[in-house]
Amino acid sequence: MKVTNEAFFNDHVPEKIQRAILSMIYDACRNASEHCYGRFSSKGVAKDVSGHYRRGLIEDQWIGMKGLFPELAIAPVSYKRNTGTYHEITSGLVKITESCTYHPDELPREAEFRMTLATSGQRALAFDDEPEDESAQPRFMYAVLTYGIASSDKRSRPWFVRVQFLNDFCTEYVDRGIDLISKFPDVVSIYTQSADVSGDVKERPRWGKRKSA
Amino acid sequence: MKSGVQGFHGERLRQAREALGLRVASLADMLGVSRQSVSQYETGESLPGPEVFDRLVTHLRQEPQFFLRPTVEFELTPHFFRSMASATKSARRRAEARLTWFREIGLRVSEDIEFPRVDFPDFAASNKNPRLVPLAEVEAFAVETRRYWKLGEGPIANLVDVAESRGAVILRHDLDSAALDGVSQWAKPEGIPLIVLNSQKRVSARSRLDLAHELGHMILHRHVAHSELEDDEVFEQIETQAFRFAAALLLPERPFLEDLYSISLDALRSLKAKWKVSIAMMIERLKGLEIINADEHRKLRINYNARKWTRVEPFDNELPIEEPQLISRAIRLLVRNNGRSLDQIASDTGIARHWIEQILDTPADPTDDKVRLRLVESKKPNAVFG
């Protein structure tokens, strides 16, 4: 019987790591919002910058996650033209990269590294018609961690966080993927509760309120 | 018969001098007498004359009867300090003297007020030589203490409440030294854990660590003899044990690590609001649990310093200080329901009214009725306080 993509992903990415990923996204959203909307007087600038800052936080957190979860391998990879780097995360036979999109159905922007990961050596995904012999599936699975930012509350929360699986040509998702927000409501509650745990305690910005430009 | 003020007790003079952190020479200058004279007053070799006595009362800010009343004979049990290496001997003596006074005030109050029963775990191993207790066992004691006090595994909402409801008497008081965080003592024979936290330290997360540290001493080192602390190696060991106990009590291994998503300052920062523990302590906890190695610890500390968190950590100004309520509520109850005035309590104990007022400085929490106090008929000290 063919193993579903979700089952394969769960087999190779332990639940504690999936929970940590969701926490990390929530925390990065919150920290990016606090920092950028506290630092820049123009909301437009804060919004523009917060995406870059958030991505930096997320990329930085992958390194810290490796320290906590030895089963993770984190490799910094340069873009082809050396215009930047991203981290390629490996857990068991799953390779993960992250992308921010507007909508869960929207594909990440076209990128050579994604095409390479999706095409080269990826195991046959569960949408294929041909039944596969699992024992003959030595190659990895490529999973994209996608998240979108809610525009309310100074972009301090994601509105979706999913693990999704692209076809070989990166032209569509092969299934609905895994909705991490639905899967771990207890993790979400830590970041969305209004009182008694952490929502009650909000750090005051250290700087004074700036006049708008 | 020696000439001078009859009934003068030299040990009270020493106590009052030490409580203000005065050297013999400084006091001698204030009184206009020689150092030898002050020493002789303290040892009882001679008595001060009426004029010197009046000056003593003024400079040491005590009532005259304070010096005419013998000190209460308490069993000698060790004082445990949470302090920096820079804490002077004089600062420690000052803290000890004040702790003794608060103990005397508590003794008096307990004649009319029934305090909660002391319910601290007494692990068999606390009879052991501290040298023989490995840190793994200390960790297990902290877990067992949580179980004994039915605290569950999550964050402790208010550690002061927890300790007071189990019978600890806690005071937040200005110890006049930035190098001292707190001092504690098992009062014997009363059998009460007494803890004074330095009110100069106004950061909640750090103060919780101070209290957890003192609770560690009270639980782990309950039977350690005074003489054992004179051994530097033992002293260092019990400090390490108390810190480990505090860390394990505030941050139990499994739930803390389950909440942690990354070894990074941002991840620790996000846990601070929930666990109410300083980020610095979380870093040390990770090292103690061997989740991070020395190199990772160093990097985190460098990053921590670069963010200037050594001065103020995130949430330091937002997390409320946990104020002790028990002893101040007891005094208020005594005044309100038993018709005793502060002057009468001062007169009963011989300890100046302003020291009692300092206890009452604690802001009263009108909603705090978690710990029950009640007036008792007996005029004798009750089973808790003596």
Side-chain angles (χ1 to χ4, degrees):
Chain A
M1 199 178 78
K2 192 134 183 167
V3 177
T4 65
N5 297 323
E6 179 170 358
F8 186 88
F9 182 86
N10 289 341
D11 279 349
H12 289 271
V13 183
E15 187 177 300
K16 62 183 179 182
I17 294 180
Q18 295 182 41
R19 296 172 68 90
I21 288 171
L22 183 59
S23 295
M24 182 254 283
I25 297 290
Y26 264 96
D27 213 29
C29 290
R30 188 169 66 183
N31 288 339
S33 170
E34 281 176 13
H35 181 82
C36 297
Y37 283 85
R39 173 69 183 79
F40 295 103
S41 53
S42 156
K43 285 184 183 173
V45 174
K47 180 185 171 190
D48 290 348
V49 174
S50 67
H52 297 283
Y53 192 78
R54 184 173 54 244
R55 180 182 172 275
L57 289 173
I58 291 171
E59 293 293 338
D60 199 37
Q61 294 302 342
W62 287 122
I63 299 164
M65 281 178 71
K66 182 182 174 354
L68 197 56
F69 306 111
E71 51 269 67
L72 281 180
I74 312 287
V77 184
S78 293
Y79 295 134
K80 192 178 176 186
R81 291 180 184 172
N82 206 25
T83 50
T85 57
Y86 66 96
H87 282 106
E88 188 179 287
I89 293 89
T90 307
S91 178
L93 285 177
V94 174
K95 286 183 186 293
I96 307 168
T97 63
E98 55 92 10
S99 285
C100 182
T101 61
Y102 286 102
H103 190 276
D105 293 336
E106 184 187 338
L107 295 168
R109 68 175 171 80
E110 202 176 306
E112 197 165 318
F113 74 88
R114 250 189 293 277
M115 187 67 90
T116 306
L117 281 166
T119 309
S120 308
Q122 176 166 219
R123 71 191 299 277
L125 293 172
F127 79 117
D128 290 353
D129 296 333
E130 289 293 312
E132 284 285 337
D133 176 3
E134 282 298 315
S135 61
Q137 287 258 15
R139 314 302 281 272
F140 62 84
M141 163 191 263
Y142 175 45
V144 189
L145 172 68
T146 62
Y147 59 91
I149 309 303
S151 54
S152 58
D153 293 334
K154 297 178 180 173
R155 306 177 70 77
S156 60
R157 287 180 193 173
W159 73 277
F160 69 88
V161 180
R162 304 180 82 96
V163 175
Q164 295 185 290
F165 310 104
L166 289 163
N167 67 9
D168 284 358
F169 307 101
C170 293
T171 52
E172 62 181 338
Y173 295 123
V174 299
D175 57 24
R176 293 288 299 158
I178 306 168
D179 178 353
L180 294 181
I181 288 181
S182 301
K183 188 172 181 181
F184 302 115
D186 57 319
V187 173
V188 175
S189 70
I190 294 173
Y191 295 91
T192 54
Q193 268 177 355
S194 58
D196 76 19
V197 178
S198 59
D200 206 18
V201 182
K202 294 213 185 320
E203 192 186 7
R204 283 194 291 270
R206 302 257 167 77
W207 42 83
K209 194 174 180 183
R210 287 160 187 267
K211 290 177 184 170
S212 50
Chain B
M1 193 170 74
K2 294 174 210 161
S3 62
V5 175
Q6 297 302 307
F8 181 84
H9 286 275
E11 63 272 30
R12 283 293 192 192
L13 173 58
R14 179 194 295 274
Q15 204 177 53
R17 176 177 62 75
E18 288 181 346
L20 294 180
L22 292 172
R23 294 170 182 278
V24 170
S26 310
L27 181 61
D29 284 346
M30 288 177 180
L31 299 176
V33 299
S34 67
R35 278 194 300 174
Q36 287 77 6
S37 297
V38 172
S39 297
Q40 286 172 356
Y41 301 151
E42 288 188 351
T43 56
E45 285 175 57
S46 66
L47 301 172
E51 281 184 21
V52 174
F53 183 77
D54 286 346
R55 273 178 256 151
L56 273 178
V57 168
T58 305
H59 288 296
L60 296 177
R61 293 189 284 144
Q62 283 294 353
E63 299 297 327
Q65 68 266 25
F66 171 81
F67 298 99
L68 304 177
R69 186 185 287 264
T71 49
V72 179
E73 289 298 322
F74 291 124
E75 191 177 318
L76 186 65
T77 54
H79 290 88
F80 298 100
F81 291 96
R82 175 157 166 70
S83 62
M84 288 185 267
S86 57
T88 60
K89 194 176 172 185
S90 155
R92 288 165 193 257
R93 288 250 184 270
R94 183 166 54 219
E96 283 179 18
R98 293 186 189 180
L99 187 73
T100 303
W101 287 350
F102 294 133
R103 188 175 171 183
E104 289 187 34
I105 294 167
L107 192 61
R108 165 63 193 89
V109 173
S110 72
E111 290 176 21
D112 294 302
I113 304 285
E114 189 175 77
F115 282 78
R117 187 175 66 84
V118 175
D119 188 20
F120 270 50
D122 189 2
F123 301 119
S126 53
N127 289 305
K128 277 189 197 172
N129 183 332
R131 286 175 206 257
L132 303 177
V133 181
L135 286 179
E137 204 169 332
V138 170
E139 186 93 17
F141 286 151
V143 172
E144 189 53 41
T145 299
R146 271 184 165 259
R147 198 173 296 135
Y148 184 86
W149 281 346
K150 298 183 174 59
L151 299 177
E153 288 193 317
I156 298 173
N158 187 322
L159 189 60
V160 167
D161 270 0
V162 167
E164 287 193 326
S165 62
R166 272 76 178 180
V169 173
I170 305 171
L171 262 183
R172 201 173 283 286
H173 169 75
D174 188 350
L175 290 172
D176 289 332
S177 167
L180 275 181
D181 295 323
V183 55
S184 64
Q185 183 186 33
W186 259 105
K188 291 179 185 172
E190 308 98 297
I192 303 176
L194 293 176
I195 298 168
V196 175
L197 301 172
N198 193 350
S199 62
Q200 285 187 6
K201 310 288 168 116
R202 299 299 296 175
V203 175
S204 176
R206 290 174 198 263
S207 179
R208 279 163 62 88
L209 173 61
D210 294 341
L211 176 55
H213 182 103
E214 297 305 336
L215 289 173
H217 282 311
M218 296 293 92
I219 289 168
L220 300 173
H221 308 126
R222 185 172 183 161
H223 304 289
V224 169
H226 200 273
S227 55
E228 287 178 83
L229 294 186
E230 286 162 14
D231 181 328
D232 287 346
E233 205 180 314
V234 171
F235 182 80
E236 199 173 312
Q237 207 147 5
I238 68 162
E239 284 304 302
T240 306
Q241 289 170 352
F243 182 83
R244 185 58 177 260
F245 179 92
L249 185 73
L250 292 170
L251 294 172
E253 180 175 359
R254 193 182 56 77
F256 168 55
L257 293 181
E258 273 179 7
D259 272 357
L260 186 64
Y261 67 80
S262 168
I263 306 291
S264 69
L265 292 183
D266 285 325
L268 295 176
R269 176 186 180 276
S270 76
L271 294 189
K272 180 171 176 179
K274 177 177 178 180
W275 288 90
K276 299 177 184 174
V277 167
S278 71
I279 295 164
M281 188 197 164
M282 286 193 257
I283 294 172
E284 297 312 309
R285 179 70 172 142
L286 290 174
K287 184 162 178 263
L289 291 171
E290 296 179 5
I291 301 295
I292 56 174
N293 58 31
D295 190 43
E296 289 164 324
H297 176 261
R298 188 180 57 82
K299 284 178 184 163
L300 280 175
R301 287 298 316 190
I302 289 171
N303 198 349
Y304 180 90
N305 293 340
R307 295 188 189 202
K308 298 186 169 55
W309 284 356
T310 42
R311 281 185 288 155
V312 185
E313 278 190 9
F315 305 112
D316 274 353
N317 298 322
E318 288 76 23
L319 289 171
I321 287 274
E322 296 171 9
E323 296 289 0
Q325 297 287 328
L326 194 63
I327 187 78
S328 58
R329 277 181 55 220
I331 294 174
R332 287 192 180 97
L333 189 64
L334 196 58
V335 170
R336 192 176 61 237
N337 292 13
N338 226 22
R340 305 293 290 177
S341 67
L342 291 188
D343 285 329
Q344 282 171 314
I345 298 172
S347 166
D348 291 346
T349 56
I351 295 166
R353 179 188 160 121
H354 66 91
W355 292 106
I356 301 169
E357 286 172 336
Q358 286 194 29
I359 296 175
L360 293 172
D361 255 356
T362 306
D365 177 358
T367 63
D368 179 26
D369 58 355
K370 295 177 197 112
V371 183
R372 296 271 173 210
L373 292 170
R374 72 181 180 91
L375 289 163
V376 290
E377 293 299 319
S378 167
K379 287 307 250 180
K380 289 183 181 172
N382 67 28
V384 173
F385 251 109

